[in-house]
Amino acid sequence: MIDSLDGAFGRALTGPAHRAERIAVFLRQGRDHERAGRLGDALEAYGAVATAADETRDGRILAEALRRAAGIHRRRNEPTEALALYQRSYDVARAIDEPVLAAEALNGNAVLHVHRGDWETARVYLQRALATGSEHEDLRGRIEQNFGVMANIEG
């Protein structure tokens, strides 16, 4: 569970420093819940992060929270929700000129299409992700790894 957005959380958001700190706490809680397999709690935390980031116009955090929530929906076999959140994450990242965050969203979208067996669409998303975020070595490695996974599955 996460702290409520009402009450203490609302009072804690009195200044920018407190808001940023509280958002960071919720993001960490979301990651911790996700790693522990508590996907419902993670979604709740990422929802709180997205709401707060949207209200404070923190596009970087909003794009990350949306992408992480999309990944949970993907793992829960909720592709409609996942696709919408990946797209929104991508749109936010592009609007704030954050190519790495945009590429992360494209990569997540590709993984969703791999899980659905839609190889061609997955390849398109991976190619777009690679073109968008290739300067980030870790991300490039994950994208290339996904190409390799697809090649191994296809035989």
Side-chain angles (χ1 to χ4, degrees):
M1 287 298 212
I2 63 166
D3 297 330
S4 172
L5 288 174
D6 300 321
F9 180 71
R11 288 187 298 278
L13 294 182
T14 57
H18 291 289
R19 257 185 244 115
E21 183 179 320
R22 201 67 185 144
I23 290 170
V25 167
F26 279 145
L27 195 54
R28 275 193 306 277
Q29 284 180 344
R31 289 181 194 140
D32 291 345
H33 288 311
E34 192 173 352
R35 280 190 214 103
R38 297 184 301 270
L39 300 184
D41 290 339
L43 272 177
E44 185 179 342
Y46 293 144
V49 170
T51 298
D54 198 26
E55 290 171 358
T56 60
R57 302 203 184 281
D58 188 336
R60 289 182 53 79
I61 298 296
L62 177 59
E64 181 176 352
L66 293 169
R67 186 187 78 250
R68 289 182 174 281
I72 291 172
H73 283 291
R74 176 180 43 86
R75 285 191 292 284
R76 289 172 52 164
N77 198 27
E78 300 167 346
T80 303
E81 294 87 348
L83 286 170
L85 289 168
Y86 279 132
Q87 184 61 51
R88 185 163 173 226
S89 176
Y90 173 79
D91 292 343
V92 168
R94 294 296 293 191
I96 62 170
D97 195 28
E98 286 287 344
V100 171
L101 291 173
E104 291 275 11
L106 292 168
N107 186 52
N109 211 329
V111 171
L112 175 81
H113 287 287
V114 166
H115 287 263
R116 296 172 85 183
D118 186 354
W119 303 105
E120 291 309 311
T121 302
R123 267 191 205 84
V124 169
Y125 276 107
L126 286 173
Q127 289 164 347
R128 287 178 60 199
L130 197 55
T132 303
S134 63
E135 72 281 351
H136 189 274
E137 289 182 19
D138 290 341
L139 175 57
R140 186 177 61 240
R142 287 193 306 275
I143 295 166
E144 290 173 352
Q145 181 179 15
N146 287 335
F147 273 122
V149 167
M150 285 178 59
N152 283 335
I153 291 172
E154 289 180 303

